[in-house]
Amino acid sequence: MWTIAGASTEYAVAATGDRIDLVAWGPHGVGDGPSPFAVHGKVQYMLPGDVAAVEYAPDGLRPFLGADLAVAGHALTWRLDSVLETDGLAATFADEVSGLRVALRWRFAPGTDVVERWAVVHNDGPSPVTLTRLGSAGFCVPTPGGAELSYLCGQWAEEFTPASTRLTRGRFEIGSAQGVTGHQFAPYLAVDNGDAVYGVELAWTGSWQITADADAAGLTRVRVGRSLDGAPVTLAPGESVTTPVAAGAYSADGLDGLARQWHAYQRGLAGDRLARTPKVIYNSWEATTFDVTADGQLALADIAASLGVETFVVDDGWFVGRDDDHGGLGDWTPDPAKFPDGFGAFVSAVRARGLEFGLWVEPEMVNPRSALYAAHPDWVYQADGRPLTTIRNQYLLDLGRREVFEFVRSTLDSLLGSYPIAYLKWDFNRPRTEADRSVADLDGAHVRNLYRVLDHLRAAHPAVTIEGCAAGGARVDLAMGARTDVLWPSDNTAPLDRLRIQHGFLSAFAPHLMSSWVTDANGMFDERSRSLAFRFVLASAGVLGIGADITKWTAEQRAEAASWVARYKEVRDVVTGGVVHRIGGPGQSRCAVQYTLGDRVVVLAWNAGGLDGLDRVPARDIRLPLRDLDPTARYQAGDAVYSGAHLMSVGLPVRWTHTHDADLVVLELLG
Ligand code: DGJ
């Protein structure tokens, strides 16, 4: 048996013939006892691999209940070669018939309880091998009483909606076949067996799938990995492919505890960049859409600066041919008609107002109406001369091609080198449709070159903050979270809709990644109006931005906005670096998020429901029970002082009125 240990959990596996099986996954010491996965009784009409808690199985070893690796033409079997304890664990397997060599890796991310798993598949044989399934890992959960599966689903403008389903037998699957993470599901699944929650996420920005199989003997096995549907991966002799990292986490503290594991892990992925103060941005998209002019943007910048905004981001519409969404993508030259004194002079004018400058790009895209497409029609994804499909009037460039990669990288280098750009918003507004299936690894080629460009930008332009965006939240995953500074969860910025989206986002992704703007948008799903304060407290739950047409705000609104921006700046280190406890949620009488960092606690609370009769009938304050305070210590919030015990067992009081529907409370530990 081999055991690897994280901060407070451990993961133990053992070899059984040519398989590596899970023995235990839970708190330190959990492996010290008989394995809950041990099988007794006879295996009937299946193979032992079908009922085992196998860590990773080729289809010849587990033919019936879901395998992780398969090749075209025959069932794959292998023999176990070696197991090494090196930076975690490494096991190697070999198939003498095809010549495939597979290395499996397990390791805990330093200082966390998240176990990272991946596989390296190498063709050591004389002929090409086509992989038709290429999972990253299988995670086994004992579910004798069935499994409660929690996931995040949605669509454009409604991303990260929490959902759950009960699985006692059979299969549940989520994923994307779009060549991008997608709006429909986040690559996240949690399995609750009634005693603890086990979660998985995937670090991949192409097509993916997460599949849960519940067998007859009380085991739920979750397969995590890329989806190769329609785009198998062919390895020539001597070639290898490394799967994306599948991450697994255990929590004895429910879904919220699991969320904290993901947050800590993603803070680790951010590394040193987490120490950079997240700047308050203004983004002009909702105010001006494509109607970008230097004067119009500077009018917004004047007011943004007066509100305390630190970075001014010009969104779509700044480049030639971009008066609407029918043209321009690919031609990344500032439009001289929109910036008559030159783009450099415009950027200087923004900076002269004390603001850093930010710019929107969508570098993997091209409109048919563009000079780039006229010059390189062969750069877009296409299939055998068939008609091309447009989505939002645009085509997708085949970033897997070397010349497209060079074009994207040099375009961005040139923009960042020509102007003092401190913030880059990278958008992606259409999934892949056409695909030339003769390419060895179509999805992988695109995604890996995306990562290469992002890694290059970080190395060559380290001061630039990068925001990942894809028509809202279609590119939110561990891999993007590791390569960008912040992610845009949704184009829906309406208060009660956004509250739900952000609540779901925080189940799987950390607040330092959650970009959020204050706008004047009306709800698409919940139209009830909310105050400006509500919108500010909501956008302060992650990285604050403003996206409203602030030229239309009254002097009172601007004064109120300036005071919220100032308050956010006082607490942003706690919000983006703190430990998160969600209290209640949208649709409940309690709806708040507690952030704790050192001696400081910040509570953001919203009225997500009604007004309890507005004092015309007896009512009581809403209480928000806080977590993980010192029960014997005292905490001060303004004039009020509470004991930790009171705050945890009775709760922080809030009271809503017609005009007071949200609050930001800072509690300081008294010495
Ligand atoms: C989609 C993004 O999600 C929006 O924020 C905005 O940048 C538009 N694209 C611009 O076309």
Side-chain angles (χ1 to χ4, degrees):
M1 182 162 111
W2 298 272
T3 301
I4 56 172
S8 64
T9 57
E10 68 182 34
Y11 196 93
V13 299
T16 309
D18 287 322
R19 298 193 317 263
I20 300 275
D21 292 348
L22 181 65
V23 173
W25 182 13
H28 284 165
V30 69
D32 195 3
S35 168
F37 302 108
V39 173
H40 57 82
K42 194 169 164 206
V43 175
Q44 301 276 14
Y45 303 103
M46 290 189 290
L47 292 187
D50 284 304
V51 292
V54 58
E55 285 289 275
Y56 193 87
D59 60 345
L61 224 59
R62 187 178 161 93
F64 305 120
L65 292 189
D68 307 288
L69 187 69
V71 299
H74 60 87
L76 180 68
T77 54
W78 62 26
R79 73 178 152 66
L80 173 62
D81 252 358
S82 68
V83 181
L84 282 177
E85 289 176 284
T86 158
D87 183 25
L89 213 57
T92 55
F93 304 83
D95 168 32
E96 297 314 338
V97 180
S98 66
L100 272 195
R101 303 273 179 272
V102 179
L104 302 184
R105 296 297 311 270
W106 295 255
R107 66 163 217 153
F108 273 97
T112 76
D113 282 309
V114 171
V115 59
E116 296 181 322
R117 296 186 48 198
W118 68 98
V120 184
V121 181
H122 176 70
N123 181 4
D124 209 21
S127 318
V129 176
T130 295
L131 307 174
T132 54
R133 190 176 303 168
L134 177 59
S136 291
F139 289 93
C140 296
V141 180
T143 50
E148 187 74 14
L149 304 182
S150 296
Y151 56 103
L152 298 166
C153 60
Q155 56 181 326
W156 174 79
E158 204 186 20
E159 299 89 334
F160 306 105
T161 304
S164 63
T165 189
R166 189 144 193 90
L167 188 71
T168 46
R169 278 303 304 275
R171 181 166 292 177
F172 171 84
E173 186 165 287
I174 55 175
S176 158
Q178 296 187 305
V180 65
T181 324
H183 293 105
Q184 270 70 30
F185 301 100
Y188 156 96
L189 185 74
V191 182
D192 188 339
N193 66 5
D195 299 320
V197 183
Y198 302 76
V200 297
E201 292 201 16
L202 180 67
W204 187 247
T205 313
S207 298
W208 60 276
Q209 64 190 45
I210 296 179
T211 311
D213 289 293
D215 74 9
L219 173 75
T220 299
R221 187 168 186 276
V222 181
R223 284 183 281 136
V224 188
R226 295 177 51 180
S227 167
L228 303 186
D229 278 353
V233 172
T234 299
L235 296 178
E239 280 186 347
S240 301
V241 61
T242 301
T243 71
V245 166
Y250 161 90
S251 164
D253 200 9
L255 288 176
D256 214 44
L258 183 66
R260 284 186 283 284
Q261 311 276 25
W262 295 130
H263 297 177
Y265 176 55
Q266 291 155 17
R267 285 195 287 271
L269 295 178
D272 296 347
R273 293 183 72 103
L274 199 65
R276 295 150 48 123
T277 301
K279 299 285 172 58
V280 178
I281 70 151
Y282 178 83
N283 179 297
S284 59
W285 173 245
E286 289 199 21
T288 59
T289 62
F290 297 103
D291 192 12
V292 172
T293 62
D295 288 348
Q297 298 294 306
L298 290 176
L300 290 164
D302 277 334
I303 300 167
S306 75
L307 303 182
V309 165
E310 296 159 300
T311 304
F312 185 85
V313 184
V314 175
D315 208 279
D316 200 349
W318 57 271
F319 45 101
V320 286
R322 194 64 172 169
D323 296 323
D324 53 37
D325 64 12
H326 284 77
L329 292 175
D331 300 344
W332 301 105
T333 308
D335 187 343
K338 295 181 175 179
F339 303 99
D341 298 332
F343 198 60
F346 166 71
V347 175
S348 298
V350 170
R351 287 167 52 81
R353 285 156 171 81
L355 296 159
E356 298 274 27
F357 182 71
L359 196 61
W360 175 96
V361 288
E362 195 181 3
E364 298 147 273
M365 300 292 169
V366 65
N367 284 117
R369 203 177 76 199
S370 67
L372 182 74
Y373 187 67
H376 300 287
D378 54 321
W379 280 8
V380 303
Y381 283 103
Q382 46 200 300
D384 310 330
R386 292 193 172 82
L388 300 180
T389 314
T390 53
I391 295 179
R392 207 195 190 203
N393 312 304
Q394 65 200 52
Y395 300 140
L396 178 60
L397 295 173
D398 182 352
L399 184 62
R401 294 170 65 137
R402 190 190 45 76
E403 58 275 38
V404 175
F405 166 78
E406 292 299 346
F407 165 77
V408 169
R409 189 178 62 169
S410 60
T411 299
L412 296 174
D413 274 342
S414 154
L415 278 172
L416 296 175
S418 306
Y419 308 103
I421 294 170
Y423 191 101
L424 192 72
K425 176 177 172 187
W426 183 318
D427 203 349
F428 180 97
N429 282 296
R430 65 150 295 168
R432 193 182 61 225
T433 42
E434 286 74 25
D436 176 357
R437 304 255 150 71
S438 65
V439 175
D441 181 3
L442 188 85
D443 207 28
H446 191 116
V447 173
R448 289 198 193 91
N449 275 353
L450 168 69
Y451 297 161
R452 278 175 71 199
V453 181
L454 288 168
D455 292 345
H456 163 79
L457 293 180
R458 280 208 160 170
H461 311 276
V464 177
T465 297
I466 298 178
E467 176 176 16
C469 170
R475 249 185 185 173
V476 175
D477 57 63
L478 289 177
M480 288 303 281
R483 291 178 170 83
T484 60
D485 297 285
V486 67
L487 295 166
W488 180 237
S490 179
D491 282 344
N492 192 336
T493 56
L496 289 162
D497 291 350
R498 187 73 173 201
L499 185 68
R500 279 208 301 270
I501 291 165
Q502 293 191 175
H503 193 79
F505 184 99
L506 289 176
S507 310
F509 299 100
H512 74 270
L513 292 171
M514 191 168 77
S515 178
S516 192
W517 307 339
V518 175
T519 71
D520 294 323
N522 293 321
M524 289 172 55
F525 300 94
D526 188 337
E527 288 185 320
R528 290 174 297 162
S529 70
R530 285 294 185 266
S531 69
L532 188 62
F534 186 107
R535 293 171 189 255
F536 264 101
V537 176
L538 185 57
S540 296
V543 178
L544 174 65
I546 299 176
D549 184 352
I550 48 183
T551 61
K552 298 210 171 77
W553 280 5
T554 62
E556 291 73 39
Q557 285 175 306
R558 290 184 200 167
E560 185 182 346
S563 83
W564 281 115
V565 171
R567 287 189 79 186
Y568 176 73
K569 288 176 180 171
E570 285 165 12
V571 300
R572 60 183 159 189
D573 58 327
V574 181
V575 168
T576 57
V579 173
V580 170
H581 293 281
R582 288 172 300 166
I583 303 160
Q588 300 176 35
S589 61
R590 291 169 175 165
C591 182
V593 185
Q594 173 192 347
Y595 303 81
T596 307
L597 187 68
D599 290 349
R600 296 170 70 213
V601 179
V602 174
V603 180
L604 308 185
W606 302 272
N607 175 13
L611 290 169
D612 284 341
L614 265 184
D615 284 348
R616 287 192 208 132
V617 294
R620 295 194 168 89
D621 285 347
I622 289 164
R623 292 296 190 134
L624 305 171
L626 307 187
R627 293 279 306 272
D628 287 351
L629 305 181
D630 176 352
T632 62
R634 297 175 70 70
Y635 294 82
Q636 179 157 22
D639 294 337
V641 176
Y642 312 91
S643 70
H646 182 90
L647 289 171
M648 288 193 287
S649 54
V650 179
L652 179 73
V654 287
R655 188 182 305 174
W656 306 130
T657 69
H658 267 313
T659 52
H660 180 65
D661 55 13
D663 222 336
L664 186 163
V665 181
V666 182
L667 293 144
E668 306 269 0
L669 180 73
L670 293 176

